[in-house]
Amino acid sequence: MPKSKSKNQKSKKQGEKEAPSLSLKEQLAQKRKAAQARKELTSLVTTATFGSVLVGILLFFVGGIKVAVPGVLGIFIISLSYKYPRQALYAFIIYVPIGGTITYYLGNSPILQLAKDAFYVPALIGLWQTCRKQGLPLIIPQGIKTPLYIVLGCSLLTLLFINGGQQFNPPSVGLLEKAPQEIPLGMGILGLKVFLGYVPLLGCAYYLIRDKRDFLFLSRLQIVLIVICCVLGFIQYLLLLTGVCQGTRGLEGNALFVTSLEARCYFGGALLYSPEEGVIRLPGTFVAPWQWAWFLISSTFFTFATGFTDPSPIWRLIGLGSLVTVFINAVISGQRIALALVPTCFGILLLLTGQLGNLKRFIPIGIGLALVLGIAMVTNPDVVQQRSESFTGRWEASPPQDFIVQQFEENWKNVDGPLGSGLGRATNSARVMGKTKLVETYYPKVLFEVGIFGVLAFLALVTSLTIIGFKTYRSIKNRNFRSYGAALWVFILFISYNTYYYPLDVDPVAVYYWFFAGVLFKLPELEKQDIEDANPQQKNKKKRLKTI
């Protein structure tokens, strides 16, 4: 007994030596630093509040309360986001899945559709300035710079010659016809923002994660957001099922089969709920049902990654629980693409990440998942049957491969030239600037806007990203980091070459694709930090971003 006591005392003394208390001078320096930070925050909040209220009053007289409120919030958020880019990026990630709900609660102003960029753009500017001061690259990894510049060059040529030509030399109209009121250059700028505007998220995510603790916080934050959104999606379904929300029931004619904003049920935006006709399209927390479908599809990758790789057993359990909620929402949402791709992506992840061979972990997880889903299917056979019949009926009526081929053929014939028909001409969010064309598949849409050169250049960009991502995750030796990186790489691979609909154009995939690619490229750095922490003598002298 005395020996063990002396050992404990010895280890205590060693611990005290390893973590010495701060001197009085260092404590005072920390207090001064904290006081200075509080002073700066107070000053910024005061100035931003005064400025935003002043502008809000002016906007109120011009456009009313629906314009004034977003204006006040926008100026206030932009000011804080520029000063605190780190916190702004976290706010940006939090806002993405709930933005559709917030938009309609605040009055459905068109300005609110761009609200998330009030976090992103100022944070990006702040990060770019910090990188420039410290001599660090904003574009991560360096291997994508050449194809990215080529895509950007092709896009600028289209903007200059095609959109510019439409602006300054519009096509002539007939004698009695009225020229359409369009702003082609404005449409082109919006189209370019949608096309390449979120590529810098690669660097944002890379520098946002400073160490393993930041990485775990981010991955767990994403799981919490998925759980919250899926629970709200399930509540939305229950409210419609029990009649608290009417949906599109009781309407007549075509209204029974079209999503409607008037049928909105507490969360998200437009929905379709006509169970007597066998059609349901729920938006979850998003503006439109198909955005909710792609949120569920992308969430399969993140929940899988955390469920199989998080070092904490509790968080692994939460991750797998969130995966179950994603499966359930894929069934009840009425979205055929989610019903098809969520289980398909889960199977692909099991094969490509090697977790299928990890029997010790996979068998209990697989049994638990099958049990929960089996109970859900047995207790709701009508729902499962409706969704299955809807999926098979749609596939037989319009097979996806035929639809994609038809879209390619149509847009190849109708595109104006090798530089395309103009940026934004097939982008839904740019329709406020002029006439747009509905193209329901991604690469035909890119072909129509920036032409064959733009399509090939963009394919080169995503191929470079995919190849570098593969090499990155394969270079990782740490088992957990490697498995998480493998899940992210499969997500990048899947989205890079997916052309069915256009998830890369809108939330949430337009954000998650580039952001989580940046997370993947940070993983080898985190592994090195782990090795350095274990061997302090081998510390890497590499320059790191300190201020974000």
PDB file of all heavy atoms in Angstrom, residues 317-353:
ATOM      1  N   LEU A 317     -22.851   5.789 -31.189  1.00  0.00           N
ATOM      2  CA  LEU A 317     -24.247   5.396 -31.038  1.00  0.00           C
ATOM      3  C   LEU A 317     -25.189   6.489 -31.556  1.00  0.00           C
ATOM      4  O   LEU A 317     -26.164   6.203 -32.261  1.00  0.00           O
ATOM      5  CB  LEU A 317     -24.537   5.112 -29.560  1.00  0.00           C
ATOM      6  CG  LEU A 317     -25.855   4.387 -29.240  1.00  0.00           C
ATOM      7  CD1 LEU A 317     -25.884   3.010 -29.891  1.00  0.00           C
ATOM      8  CD2 LEU A 317     -26.041   4.272 -27.732  1.00  0.00           C
ATOM      9  N   ILE A 318     -24.875   7.755 -31.230  1.00  0.00           N
ATOM     10  CA  ILE A 318     -25.689   8.883 -31.721  1.00  0.00           C
ATOM     11  C   ILE A 318     -25.616   8.954 -33.250  1.00  0.00           C
ATOM     12  O   ILE A 318     -26.625   9.184 -33.934  1.00  0.00           O
ATOM     13  CB  ILE A 318     -25.218  10.211 -31.092  1.00  0.00           C
ATOM     14  CG1 ILE A 318     -25.487  10.193 -29.576  1.00  0.00           C
ATOM     15  CG2 ILE A 318     -25.928  11.394 -31.736  1.00  0.00           C
ATOM     16  CD1 ILE A 318     -24.846  11.353 -28.827  1.00  0.00           C
ATOM     17  N   GLY A 319     -24.414   8.731 -33.790  1.00  0.00           N
ATOM     18  CA  GLY A 319     -24.246   8.747 -35.250  1.00  0.00           C
ATOM     19  C   GLY A 319     -25.090   7.691 -35.932  1.00  0.00           C
ATOM     20  O   GLY A 319     -25.739   7.949 -36.956  1.00  0.00           O
ATOM     21  N   LEU A 320     -25.120   6.485 -35.358  1.00  0.00           N
ATOM     22  CA  LEU A 320     -25.922   5.408 -35.945  1.00  0.00           C
ATOM     23  C   LEU A 320     -27.413   5.668 -35.751  1.00  0.00           C
ATOM     24  O   LEU A 320     -28.228   5.336 -36.618  1.00  0.00           O
ATOM     25  CB  LEU A 320     -25.522   4.070 -35.321  1.00  0.00           C
ATOM     26  CG  LEU A 320     -24.103   3.619 -35.695  1.00  0.00           C
ATOM     27  CD1 LEU A 320     -23.650   2.474 -34.829  1.00  0.00           C
ATOM     28  CD2 LEU A 320     -24.012   3.250 -37.161  1.00  0.00           C
ATOM     29  N   GLY A 321     -27.772   6.274 -34.610  1.00  0.00           N
ATOM     30  CA  GLY A 321     -29.171   6.660 -34.401  1.00  0.00           C
ATOM     31  C   GLY A 321     -29.618   7.681 -35.420  1.00  0.00           C
ATOM     32  O   GLY A 321     -30.742   7.611 -35.951  1.00  0.00           O
ATOM     33  N   SER A 322     -28.727   8.623 -35.729  1.00  0.00           N
ATOM     34  CA  SER A 322     -29.059   9.635 -36.741  1.00  0.00           C
ATOM     35  C   SER A 322     -29.194   9.004 -38.124  1.00  0.00           C
ATOM     36  O   SER A 322     -30.006   9.434 -38.950  1.00  0.00           O
ATOM     37  CB  SER A 322     -28.005  10.746 -36.760  1.00  0.00           C
ATOM     38  OG  SER A 322     -26.739  10.240 -37.135  1.00  0.00           O
ATOM     39  N   LEU A 323     -28.406   7.945 -38.371  1.00  0.00           N
ATOM     40  CA  LEU A 323     -28.527   7.217 -39.644  1.00  0.00           C
ATOM     41  C   LEU A 323     -29.910   6.571 -39.764  1.00  0.00           C
ATOM     42  O   LEU A 323     -30.529   6.587 -40.844  1.00  0.00           O
ATOM     43  CB  LEU A 323     -27.426   6.152 -39.738  1.00  0.00           C
ATOM     44  CG  LEU A 323     -27.372   5.309 -41.014  1.00  0.00           C
ATOM     45  CD1 LEU A 323     -27.179   6.184 -42.248  1.00  0.00           C
ATOM     46  CD2 LEU A 323     -26.263   4.276 -40.920  1.00  0.00           C
ATOM     47  N   VAL A 324     -30.415   6.053 -38.657  1.00  0.00           N
ATOM     48  CA  VAL A 324     -31.770   5.475 -38.644  1.00  0.00           C
ATOM     49  C   VAL A 324     -32.809   6.547 -38.959  1.00  0.00           C
ATOM     50  O   VAL A 324     -33.740   6.319 -39.744  1.00  0.00           O
ATOM     51  CB  VAL A 324     -32.073   4.822 -37.276  1.00  0.00           C
ATOM     52  CG1 VAL A 324     -33.542   4.402 -37.183  1.00  0.00           C
ATOM     53  CG2 VAL A 324     -31.168   3.612 -37.050  1.00  0.00           C
ATOM     54  N   THR A 325     -32.655   7.747 -38.371  1.00  0.00           N
ATOM     55  CA  THR A 325     -33.621   8.833 -38.638  1.00  0.00           C
ATOM     56  C   THR A 325     -33.579   9.251 -40.105  1.00  0.00           C
ATOM     57  O   THR A 325     -34.612   9.628 -40.670  1.00  0.00           O
ATOM     58  CB  THR A 325     -33.354  10.065 -37.740  1.00  0.00           C
ATOM     59  OG1 THR A 325     -32.088  10.645 -38.062  1.00  0.00           O
ATOM     60  CG2 THR A 325     -33.373   9.701 -36.270  1.00  0.00           C
ATOM     61  N   VAL A 326     -32.393   9.181 -40.711  1.00  0.00           N
ATOM     62  CA  VAL A 326     -32.274   9.498 -42.144  1.00  0.00           C
ATOM     63  C   VAL A 326     -33.038   8.468 -42.971  1.00  0.00           C
ATOM     64  O   VAL A 326     -33.780   8.821 -43.904  1.00  0.00           O
ATOM     65  CB  VAL A 326     -30.785   9.547 -42.564  1.00  0.00           C
ATOM     66  CG1 VAL A 326     -30.649   9.602 -44.088  1.00  0.00           C
ATOM     67  CG2 VAL A 326     -30.083  10.754 -41.949  1.00  0.00           C
ATOM     68  N   PHE A 327     -32.885   7.183 -42.640  1.00  0.00           N
ATOM     69  CA  PHE A 327     -33.610   6.119 -43.349  1.00  0.00           C
ATOM     70  C   PHE A 327     -35.122   6.315 -43.224  1.00  0.00           C
ATOM     71  O   PHE A 327     -35.859   6.194 -44.211  1.00  0.00           O
ATOM     72  CB  PHE A 327     -33.215   4.745 -42.777  1.00  0.00           C
ATOM     73  CG  PHE A 327     -32.061   4.098 -43.494  1.00  0.00           C
ATOM     74  CD1 PHE A 327     -30.753   4.386 -43.149  1.00  0.00           C
ATOM     75  CD2 PHE A 327     -32.290   3.199 -44.525  1.00  0.00           C
ATOM     76  CE1 PHE A 327     -29.688   3.788 -43.800  1.00  0.00           C
ATOM     77  CE2 PHE A 327     -31.226   2.592 -45.190  1.00  0.00           C
ATOM     78  CZ  PHE A 327     -29.925   2.886 -44.826  1.00  0.00           C
ATOM     79  N   ILE A 328     -35.586   6.608 -42.014  1.00  0.00           N
ATOM     80  CA  ILE A 328     -37.027   6.776 -41.790  1.00  0.00           C
ATOM     81  C   ILE A 328     -37.569   7.947 -42.608  1.00  0.00           C
ATOM     82  O   ILE A 328     -38.614   7.843 -43.260  1.00  0.00           O
ATOM     83  CB  ILE A 328     -37.315   6.973 -40.284  1.00  0.00           C
ATOM     84  CG1 ILE A 328     -37.032   5.673 -39.518  1.00  0.00           C
ATOM     85  CG2 ILE A 328     -38.755   7.423 -40.051  1.00  0.00           C
ATOM     86  CD1 ILE A 328     -37.041   5.825 -38.013  1.00  0.00           C
ATOM     87  N   ASN A 329     -36.853   9.066 -42.594  1.00  0.00           N
ATOM     88  CA  ASN A 329     -37.298  10.235 -43.355  1.00  0.00           C
ATOM     89  C   ASN A 329     -37.237   9.996 -44.859  1.00  0.00           C
ATOM     90  O   ASN A 329     -38.031  10.575 -45.609  1.00  0.00           O
ATOM     91  CB  ASN A 329     -36.464  11.463 -42.975  1.00  0.00           C
ATOM     92  CG  ASN A 329     -36.998  12.167 -41.756  1.00  0.00           C
ATOM     93  OD1 ASN A 329     -37.883  13.009 -41.844  1.00  0.00           O
ATOM     94  ND2 ASN A 329     -36.478  11.808 -40.587  1.00  0.00           N
ATOM     95  N   ALA A 330     -36.296   9.157 -45.303  1.00  0.00           N
ATOM     96  CA  ALA A 330     -36.236   8.828 -46.733  1.00  0.00           C
ATOM     97  C   ALA A 330     -37.515   8.126 -47.177  1.00  0.00           C
ATOM     98  O   ALA A 330     -37.966   8.291 -48.320  1.00  0.00           O
ATOM     99  CB  ALA A 330     -35.018   7.957 -47.017  1.00  0.00           C
ATOM    100  N   VAL A 331     -38.120   7.348 -46.267  1.00  0.00           N
ATOM    101  CA  VAL A 331     -39.358   6.631 -46.586  1.00  0.00           C
ATOM    102  C   VAL A 331     -40.564   7.564 -46.510  1.00  0.00           C
ATOM    103  O   VAL A 331     -41.377   7.622 -47.442  1.00  0.00           O
ATOM    104  CB  VAL A 331     -39.550   5.434 -45.628  1.00  0.00           C
ATOM    105  CG1 VAL A 331     -40.899   4.768 -45.874  1.00  0.00           C
ATOM    106  CG2 VAL A 331     -38.427   4.420 -45.813  1.00  0.00           C
ATOM    107  N   ILE A 332     -40.683   8.337 -45.421  1.00  0.00           N
ATOM    108  CA  ILE A 332     -41.905   9.130 -45.216  1.00  0.00           C
ATOM    109  C   ILE A 332     -41.922  10.424 -46.022  1.00  0.00           C
ATOM    110  O   ILE A 332     -42.980  11.026 -46.208  1.00  0.00           O
ATOM    111  CB  ILE A 332     -42.127   9.455 -43.723  1.00  0.00           C
ATOM    112  CG1 ILE A 332     -41.007  10.369 -43.193  1.00  0.00           C
ATOM    113  CG2 ILE A 332     -42.235   8.181 -42.904  1.00  0.00           C
ATOM    114  CD1 ILE A 332     -41.233  10.858 -41.773  1.00  0.00           C
ATOM    115  N   SER A 333     -40.763  10.871 -46.523  1.00  0.00           N
ATOM    116  CA  SER A 333     -40.711  12.149 -47.249  1.00  0.00           C
ATOM    117  C   SER A 333     -41.439  12.094 -48.585  1.00  0.00           C
ATOM    118  O   SER A 333     -41.820  13.127 -49.128  1.00  0.00           O
ATOM    119  CB  SER A 333     -39.264  12.567 -47.494  1.00  0.00           C
ATOM    120  OG  SER A 333     -38.645  11.698 -48.426  1.00  0.00           O
ATOM    121  N   GLY A 334     -41.588  10.876 -49.135  1.00  0.00           N
ATOM    122  CA  GLY A 334     -42.236  10.739 -50.438  1.00  0.00           C
ATOM    123  C   GLY A 334     -41.301  11.004 -51.605  1.00  0.00           C
ATOM    124  O   GLY A 334     -41.731  10.975 -52.755  1.00  0.00           O
ATOM    125  N   GLN A 335     -40.014  11.247 -51.315  1.00  0.00           N
ATOM    126  CA  GLN A 335     -39.045  11.526 -52.367  1.00  0.00           C
ATOM    127  C   GLN A 335     -38.459  10.215 -52.896  1.00  0.00           C
ATOM    128  O   GLN A 335     -37.733   9.512 -52.183  1.00  0.00           O
ATOM    129  CB  GLN A 335     -37.928  12.421 -51.825  1.00  0.00           C
ATOM    130  CG  GLN A 335     -38.361  13.829 -51.524  1.00  0.00           C
ATOM    131  CD  GLN A 335     -38.772  14.573 -52.778  1.00  0.00           C
ATOM    132  OE1 GLN A 335     -38.034  14.650 -53.745  1.00  0.00           O
ATOM    133  NE2 GLN A 335     -39.966  15.126 -52.759  1.00  0.00           N
ATOM    134  N   ARG A 336     -38.762   9.894 -54.152  1.00  0.00           N
ATOM    135  CA  ARG A 336     -38.315   8.624 -54.722  1.00  0.00           C
ATOM    136  C   ARG A 336     -36.799   8.521 -54.768  1.00  0.00           C
ATOM    137  O   ARG A 336     -36.231   7.460 -54.524  1.00  0.00           O
ATOM    138  CB  ARG A 336     -38.892   8.474 -56.140  1.00  0.00           C
ATOM    139  CG  ARG A 336     -40.389   8.257 -56.178  1.00  0.00           C
ATOM    140  CD  ARG A 336     -40.892   8.162 -57.604  1.00  0.00           C
ATOM    141  NE  ARG A 336     -40.866   9.456 -58.266  1.00  0.00           N
ATOM    142  CZ  ARG A 336     -41.943  10.203 -58.489  1.00  0.00           C
ATOM    143  NH1 ARG A 336     -43.122   9.790 -58.091  1.00  0.00           N
ATOM    144  NH2 ARG A 336     -41.840  11.348 -59.113  1.00  0.00           N
ATOM    145  N   ILE A 337     -36.140   9.646 -55.068  1.00  0.00           N
ATOM    146  CA  ILE A 337     -34.685   9.603 -55.197  1.00  0.00           C
ATOM    147  C   ILE A 337     -34.022   9.334 -53.846  1.00  0.00           C
ATOM    148  O   ILE A 337     -33.018   8.626 -53.754  1.00  0.00           O
ATOM    149  CB  ILE A 337     -34.151  10.897 -55.850  1.00  0.00           C
ATOM    150  CG1 ILE A 337     -32.706  10.690 -56.304  1.00  0.00           C
ATOM    151  CG2 ILE A 337     -34.274  12.100 -54.911  1.00  0.00           C
ATOM    152  CD1 ILE A 337     -32.217  11.726 -57.275  1.00  0.00           C
ATOM    153  N   ALA A 338     -34.606   9.863 -52.763  1.00  0.00           N
ATOM    154  CA  ALA A 338     -34.070   9.596 -51.425  1.00  0.00           C
ATOM    155  C   ALA A 338     -34.300   8.138 -51.045  1.00  0.00           C
ATOM    156  O   ALA A 338     -33.421   7.476 -50.489  1.00  0.00           O
ATOM    157  CB  ALA A 338     -34.731  10.517 -50.394  1.00  0.00           C
ATOM    158  N   LEU A 339     -35.487   7.616 -51.355  1.00  0.00           N
ATOM    159  CA  LEU A 339     -35.815   6.222 -51.057  1.00  0.00           C
ATOM    160  C   LEU A 339     -34.861   5.274 -51.785  1.00  0.00           C
ATOM    161  O   LEU A 339     -34.473   4.236 -51.239  1.00  0.00           O
ATOM    162  CB  LEU A 339     -37.259   5.930 -51.485  1.00  0.00           C
ATOM    163  CG  LEU A 339     -37.796   4.530 -51.208  1.00  0.00           C
ATOM    164  CD1 LEU A 339     -37.837   4.242 -49.719  1.00  0.00           C
ATOM    165  CD2 LEU A 339     -39.186   4.362 -51.814  1.00  0.00           C
ATOM    166  N   ALA A 340     -34.442   5.643 -52.988  1.00  0.00           N
ATOM    167  CA  ALA A 340     -33.544   4.788 -53.772  1.00  0.00           C
ATOM    168  C   ALA A 340     -32.089   4.949 -53.343  1.00  0.00           C
ATOM    169  O   ALA A 340     -31.362   3.957 -53.181  1.00  0.00           O
ATOM    170  CB  ALA A 340     -33.686   5.116 -55.257  1.00  0.00           C
ATOM    171  N   LEU A 341     -31.652   6.198 -53.140  1.00  0.00           N
ATOM    172  CA  LEU A 341     -30.221   6.441 -52.957  1.00  0.00           C
ATOM    173  C   LEU A 341     -29.723   6.318 -51.528  1.00  0.00           C
ATOM    174  O   LEU A 341     -28.544   6.013 -51.318  1.00  0.00           O
ATOM    175  CB  LEU A 341     -29.860   7.823 -53.509  1.00  0.00           C
ATOM    176  CG  LEU A 341     -29.905   7.962 -55.026  1.00  0.00           C
ATOM    177  CD1 LEU A 341     -29.465   9.344 -55.459  1.00  0.00           C
ATOM    178  CD2 LEU A 341     -29.026   6.909 -55.699  1.00  0.00           C
ATOM    179  N   VAL A 342     -30.560   6.560 -50.528  1.00  0.00           N
ATOM    180  CA  VAL A 342     -30.077   6.446 -49.140  1.00  0.00           C
ATOM    181  C   VAL A 342     -29.592   5.022 -48.851  1.00  0.00           C
ATOM    182  O   VAL A 342     -28.447   4.834 -48.406  1.00  0.00           O
ATOM    183  CB  VAL A 342     -31.151   6.918 -48.135  1.00  0.00           C
ATOM    184  CG1 VAL A 342     -30.805   6.484 -46.716  1.00  0.00           C
ATOM    185  CG2 VAL A 342     -31.279   8.439 -48.191  1.00  0.00           C
ATOM    186  N   PRO A 343     -30.406   3.967 -49.084  1.00  0.00           N
ATOM    187  CA  PRO A 343     -29.876   2.610 -48.849  1.00  0.00           C
ATOM    188  C   PRO A 343     -28.757   2.225 -49.815  1.00  0.00           C
ATOM    189  O   PRO A 343     -27.830   1.503 -49.443  1.00  0.00           O
ATOM    190  CB  PRO A 343     -31.105   1.710 -49.035  1.00  0.00           C
ATOM    191  CG  PRO A 343     -32.107   2.514 -49.753  1.00  0.00           C
ATOM    192  CD  PRO A 343     -31.843   3.941 -49.431  1.00  0.00           C
ATOM    193  N   THR A 344     -28.836   2.736 -51.062  1.00  0.00           N
ATOM    194  CA  THR A 344     -27.781   2.434 -52.038  1.00  0.00           C
ATOM    195  C   THR A 344     -26.445   3.018 -51.581  1.00  0.00           C
ATOM    196  O   THR A 344     -25.407   2.336 -51.627  1.00  0.00           O
ATOM    197  CB  THR A 344     -28.147   3.003 -53.428  1.00  0.00           C
ATOM    198  OG1 THR A 344     -29.385   2.449 -53.845  1.00  0.00           O
ATOM    199  CG2 THR A 344     -27.073   2.679 -54.454  1.00  0.00           C
ATOM    200  N   CYS A 345     -26.462   4.275 -51.144  1.00  0.00           N
ATOM    201  CA  CYS A 345     -25.232   4.926 -50.659  1.00  0.00           C
ATOM    202  C   CYS A 345     -24.692   4.218 -49.421  1.00  0.00           C
ATOM    203  O   CYS A 345     -23.469   4.084 -49.255  1.00  0.00           O
ATOM    204  CB  CYS A 345     -25.496   6.398 -50.349  1.00  0.00           C
ATOM    205  SG  CYS A 345     -25.810   7.401 -51.807  1.00  0.00           S
ATOM    206  N   PHE A 346     -25.597   3.750 -48.553  1.00  0.00           N
ATOM    207  CA  PHE A 346     -25.167   3.009 -47.363  1.00  0.00           C
ATOM    208  C   PHE A 346     -24.427   1.736 -47.772  1.00  0.00           C
ATOM    209  O   PHE A 346     -23.363   1.415 -47.229  1.00  0.00           O
ATOM    210  CB  PHE A 346     -26.386   2.674 -46.498  1.00  0.00           C
ATOM    211  CG  PHE A 346     -26.056   1.892 -45.254  1.00  0.00           C
ATOM    212  CD1 PHE A 346     -25.405   2.497 -44.189  1.00  0.00           C
ATOM    213  CD2 PHE A 346     -26.393   0.551 -45.154  1.00  0.00           C
ATOM    214  CE1 PHE A 346     -25.096   1.779 -43.038  1.00  0.00           C
ATOM    215  CE2 PHE A 346     -26.090  -0.172 -44.007  1.00  0.00           C
ATOM    216  CZ  PHE A 346     -25.443   0.445 -42.947  1.00  0.00           C
ATOM    217  N   GLY A 347     -24.971   1.013 -48.744  1.00  0.00           N
ATOM    218  CA  GLY A 347     -24.314  -0.202 -49.227  1.00  0.00           C
ATOM    219  C   GLY A 347     -22.961   0.085 -49.868  1.00  0.00           C
ATOM    220  O   GLY A 347     -21.980  -0.637 -49.635  1.00  0.00           O
ATOM    221  N   ILE A 348     -22.899   1.160 -50.678  1.00  0.00           N
ATOM    222  CA  ILE A 348     -21.634   1.540 -51.327  1.00  0.00           C
ATOM    223  C   ILE A 348     -20.584   1.910 -50.275  1.00  0.00           C
ATOM    224  O   ILE A 348     -19.405   1.532 -50.378  1.00  0.00           O
ATOM    225  CB  ILE A 348     -21.865   2.717 -52.298  1.00  0.00           C
ATOM    226  CG1 ILE A 348     -22.704   2.263 -53.496  1.00  0.00           C
ATOM    227  CG2 ILE A 348     -20.544   3.302 -52.786  1.00  0.00           C
ATOM    228  CD1 ILE A 348     -23.204   3.392 -54.373  1.00  0.00           C
ATOM    229  N   LEU A 349     -21.007   2.627 -49.239  1.00  0.00           N
ATOM    230  CA  LEU A 349     -20.088   3.006 -48.162  1.00  0.00           C
ATOM    231  C   LEU A 349     -19.541   1.778 -47.442  1.00  0.00           C
ATOM    232  O   LEU A 349     -18.346   1.715 -47.127  1.00  0.00           O
ATOM    233  CB  LEU A 349     -20.799   3.928 -47.166  1.00  0.00           C
ATOM    234  CG  LEU A 349     -20.957   5.384 -47.595  1.00  0.00           C
ATOM    235  CD1 LEU A 349     -21.997   6.092 -46.729  1.00  0.00           C
ATOM    236  CD2 LEU A 349     -19.625   6.118 -47.506  1.00  0.00           C
ATOM    237  N   LEU A 350     -20.394   0.799 -47.183  1.00  0.00           N
ATOM    238  CA  LEU A 350     -19.938  -0.435 -46.521  1.00  0.00           C
ATOM    239  C   LEU A 350     -18.853  -1.123 -47.342  1.00  0.00           C
ATOM    240  O   LEU A 350     -17.847  -1.605 -46.795  1.00  0.00           O
ATOM    241  CB  LEU A 350     -21.117  -1.387 -46.320  1.00  0.00           C
ATOM    242  CG  LEU A 350     -22.090  -1.066 -45.183  1.00  0.00           C
ATOM    243  CD1 LEU A 350     -23.274  -2.012 -45.224  1.00  0.00           C
ATOM    244  CD2 LEU A 350     -21.396  -1.139 -43.821  1.00  0.00           C
ATOM    245  N   LEU A 351     -19.029  -1.143 -48.658  1.00  0.00           N
ATOM    246  CA  LEU A 351     -18.071  -1.823 -49.524  1.00  0.00           C
ATOM    247  C   LEU A 351     -16.771  -1.037 -49.687  1.00  0.00           C
ATOM    248  O   LEU A 351     -15.670  -1.573 -49.517  1.00  0.00           O
ATOM    249  CB  LEU A 351     -18.698  -2.062 -50.901  1.00  0.00           C
ATOM    250  CG  LEU A 351     -19.828  -3.100 -50.961  1.00  0.00           C
ATOM    251  CD1 LEU A 351     -20.509  -3.066 -52.316  1.00  0.00           C
ATOM    252  CD2 LEU A 351     -19.290  -4.500 -50.669  1.00  0.00           C
ATOM    253  N   LEU A 352     -16.900   0.268 -50.001  1.00  0.00           N
ATOM    254  CA  LEU A 352     -15.714   1.056 -50.360  1.00  0.00           C
ATOM    255  C   LEU A 352     -14.906   1.521 -49.154  1.00  0.00           C
ATOM    256  O   LEU A 352     -13.730   1.851 -49.302  1.00  0.00           O
ATOM    257  CB  LEU A 352     -16.133   2.268 -51.206  1.00  0.00           C
ATOM    258  CG  LEU A 352     -16.727   1.953 -52.582  1.00  0.00           C
ATOM    259  CD1 LEU A 352     -16.973   3.229 -53.368  1.00  0.00           C
ATOM    260  CD2 LEU A 352     -15.810   1.031 -53.384  1.00  0.00           C
ATOM    261  N   THR A 353     -15.505   1.582 -47.977  1.00  0.00           N
ATOM    262  CA  THR A 353     -14.737   1.996 -46.790  1.00  0.00           C
ATOM    263  C   THR A 353     -14.181   0.819 -46.007  1.00  0.00           C
ATOM    264  O   THR A 353     -13.447   1.006 -45.038  1.00  0.00           O
ATOM    265  CB  THR A 353     -15.604   2.846 -45.835  1.00  0.00           C
ATOM    266  OG1 THR A 353     -16.708   2.056 -45.372  1.00  0.00           O
ATOM    267  CG2 THR A 353     -16.135   4.086 -46.522  1.00  0.00           C
TER     268      THR A 353
END
